[in-house]
Amino acid sequence: MSLLDAATRWLPALLALLLASAPAARAAELPSAVSDALQQANIPPQSVGIVVQAVDGGPPLLSHNARQAMNPASAMKLVTTYAALEMLGPAHTWHTEVLVDATPTSGRLDGNVYLRGSGDPKLGFEQFWLLLRQLRAHGVEQINGDLILDRSAFALPAHDPGAFDNQALRPYNAGPDALLVNFKSVRLLLQPDPARNAVRVIAEPPSDGLRIDNQLSLGRDACGDWREQIRPAVNALVIELSGSFPAACGERALSLAPWTADVQTEGLFRALWRELGGKFSGRVRTGQVPATARTLAVQESPTLGEIVRDINKYSNNVMARQLFLSLDSERPATTDGARRQIAGWLHASGLPLPELFIDNGSGLSREARISAGGLAQLLAAAWRSPVMPELIASLPVAGVDGTLRKRLKNGPTAGRAHLKTGYLEGVRAIAGYLLDNSGKRWIVVGLINDANARLGKPALDALLLWVSSR
């Protein structure tokens, strides 16, 4: 082949490549405020992925490392919640059932009671009380059999709550469960009592056998990061609290996940059943509902539209994991099954995200990956989707609520940006929608994966301010 023939053959492709890469190269230039903030935080540009694009399409206003696979932290919840809204529908609900294998007679049930879960992400103790109240309303007062917990809707390996960050008592580390009751957590209300130079501790919800070993001292320092000054420990049904609680904090709530699912449910059941005037002489154990059992009571969850709001506004990890597993249409649901369902939905939706890896759907993971461009694609598709109002309404509003309540409160983006945040050690992220000063709405995604990512918030805030001022 002559040199002329070779040039004739390859020149069109080369020109096309140059034309395609020229806008991207220009778009990759970071705004000076963002570059300065990154430099000050000692975060190199290659550790950052950014995409800014109008919601109505067109070339990106800014595209930097757009296809680089990165850890999005809790911004991964956008994938889970958008997929769920599309696949299940905003009106989807979960049902928790109470079944019996005998007929109540004169208030006595000479048989077992079965509690069967379907993966409800928000079966709080109030909803659990309502379910037991239904059982009482059906004439059951004394249960002479066992309470059998059926969580067979999910098939999951054993969960180690301390595996992620050695914080086994933190509620965000609780594992998913087909019969998740009150997030497996207990809320301790801490009240300073200066007159007695002490700290009062009130536990809620009630749990049978729970005892608080309160060794807290009343601190005199500023409130600050008060949680880090408290050292909780668990010994059977005893929660030990040591350390210091500053009086300047006023009343605060400390949430802990101290027990396994069975222990949590048993303690709550025994306490609430007794409060309702019921009697129970049996054991609490795990099992499955027999085919002959009949349903006496059903508690329906809030709708998915409400559930995703809690997940995204407050970045609730355990609710996100529950929702992720609920996407598997097979029973019992598995993590692999949920991944397959999301992959199938993405393919059917024309959303190729080859860099995507979903670990557990919550973003509380070191392995989860997506690119800034992939998140931008997802947000663009969501903008055109019938479920767009539900998804956007679920996102924290800058300076107003959720995880953004105290961020950008007095700036031009306050009340004008709906963004999911993400934060892990080595990760900072924002992703969502921003309305600029001229009334144009933008998709904004910013991901930082770096040892200094904790210092990256000013750079991401500078990005938002740059977009809003257009």
Side-chain angles (χ1 to χ4, degrees):
M1 181 184 296
S2 68
L3 184 61
L4 180 61
D5 289 338
T8 303
R9 179 176 178 181
W10 295 110
L11 186 58
L14 180 61
L15 287 173
L17 179 62
L18 291 173
L19 289 172
S21 62
R26 289 195 298 270
E29 184 177 346
L30 294 175
S32 58
V34 177
S35 294
D36 292 346
L38 290 172
Q39 187 174 11
Q40 188 169 357
N42 199 24
I43 297 173
Q46 59 266 30
S47 296
V48 181
I50 294 175
V51 171
V52 178
Q53 184 166 353
V55 294
D56 52 3
L61 177 67
L62 178 63
S63 178
H64 176 81
N65 291 335
R67 284 301 166 190
Q68 182 173 315
M70 304 180 75
N71 189 328
S74 280
M76 184 62 83
K77 292 181 176 71
L78 287 169
V79 180
T80 303
T81 53
Y82 174 40
L85 286 168
E86 284 267 0
M87 295 166 67
L88 303 177
H92 177 83
T93 57
W94 291 257
H95 297 86
T96 304
E97 302 171 275
V98 173
L99 306 96
V100 295
D101 57 12
T103 301
T105 304
S106 301
R108 289 172 46 129
L109 180 67
D110 293 321
N112 296 319
V113 173
Y114 299 86
L115 188 61
R116 180 163 62 190
S118 64
D120 185 348
K122 198 179 179 182
L123 184 65
F125 88 89
E126 298 94 340
Q127 291 72 32
F128 193 55
W129 179 88
L130 288 171
L131 182 61
L132 299 183
R133 182 67 187 85
Q134 289 183 55
L135 187 59
R136 286 287 283 117
H138 279 82
V140 178
E141 178 181 354
Q142 182 170 338
I143 301 171
N144 292 331
D146 293 342
L147 176 67
I148 299 175
L149 311 177
D150 186 340
R151 50 175 51 89
S152 60
F154 292 172
L156 301 169
H159 176 73
D160 177 4
F164 182 75
D165 57 5
N166 294 317
Q167 298 289 338
L169 297 181
R170 297 287 178 94
Y172 63 77
N173 276 323
D177 194 309
L179 188 56
L180 181 75
V181 179
N182 204 52
F183 310 115
K184 298 183 186 174
S185 68
V186 61
R187 185 170 178 263
L188 303 180
L189 200 62
L190 309 181
Q191 299 175 332
D193 185 354
R196 296 174 52 239
N197 194 31
V199 181
R200 187 183 181 200
V201 181
I202 302 171
E204 58 178 30
S207 184
D208 188 65
L210 168 62
R211 186 169 67 84
I212 305 296
D213 182 5
N214 180 10
Q215 301 175 26
L216 288 172
S217 62
L218 189 63
R220 302 299 177 187
D221 297 332
C223 187
D225 196 355
W226 59 272
R227 285 182 178 84
E228 299 304 316
Q229 302 180 49
I230 297 174
R231 297 185 296 276
V234 176
N235 183 11
L237 294 179
V238 179
I239 298 178
E240 303 169 356
L241 296 176
S242 59
S244 175
F245 178 68
C249 290
E251 184 176 274
R252 295 296 176 103
L254 175 68
S255 293
L256 301 174
W259 304 300
T260 63
D262 285 359
V263 172
Q264 165 78 10
T265 304
E266 177 174 359
L268 188 57
F269 169 77
R270 288 185 182 274
L272 293 181
W273 189 243
R274 185 170 56 247
E275 285 186 3
L276 288 166
K279 300 175 183 177
F280 176 60
S281 59
R283 298 183 299 128
V284 178
R285 55 189 175 89
T286 299
Q288 291 193 27
V289 175
T292 55
R294 63 187 184 91
T295 302
L296 273 192
V298 178
Q299 182 64 32
E300 187 175 17
S301 75
T303 64
L304 176 58
E306 298 169 81
I307 293 290
V308 297
R309 189 180 189 277
D310 282 347
I311 291 174
N312 285 333
K313 288 282 187 187
Y314 306 104
S315 208
N316 191 301
N317 290 301
V318 67
M319 289 180 72
R321 297 182 72 158
Q322 294 283 112
L323 180 57
F324 174 66
L325 285 160
S326 296
L327 297 181
D328 187 2
S329 57
E330 302 292 330
R331 284 294 177 268
T334 64
T335 299
D336 286 341
R339 289 191 190 114
R340 286 194 297 270
Q341 293 294 330
I342 288 182
W345 166 73
L346 288 170
H347 178 75
S349 302
L351 287 169
L353 301 178
E355 74 281 6
L356 174 66
F357 175 72
I358 303 180
D359 185 0
N360 53 43
S362 73
L364 190 68
S365 166
R366 299 296 179 194
E367 286 74 42
R369 291 291 184 275
I370 195 171
S371 65
L375 276 173
Q377 275 183 267
L378 196 83
L379 289 166
W383 179 258
R384 300 187 297 269
S385 168
V387 301
M388 175 269 286
E390 284 81 9
L391 182 68
I392 291 184
S394 76
L395 300 179
V397 181
V400 175
D401 65 8
T403 56
L404 286 175
R405 182 171 62 89
K406 298 181 179 180
R407 189 167 169 182
L408 300 164
K409 195 172 183 65
N410 300 314
T413 62
R416 302 173 70 86
H418 292 72
L419 301 163
K420 183 72 197 75
T421 58
Y423 179 61
L424 292 173
E425 184 65 32
V427 181
R428 278 274 188 184
I430 54 166
Y433 306 94
L434 186 151
L435 189 68
D436 71 15
N437 292 337
S438 67
K440 186 179 180 68
R441 199 176 298 273
W442 299 88
I443 293 166
V444 182
V445 179
L447 305 178
I448 300 175
N449 284 190
D450 190 80
N452 290 324
R454 69 189 184 282
L455 305 175
K457 185 166 75 71
L460 295 179
D461 289 353
L463 174 66
L464 297 174
L465 292 171
W466 177 77
V467 177
S468 69
S469 64
R470 298 195 60 76

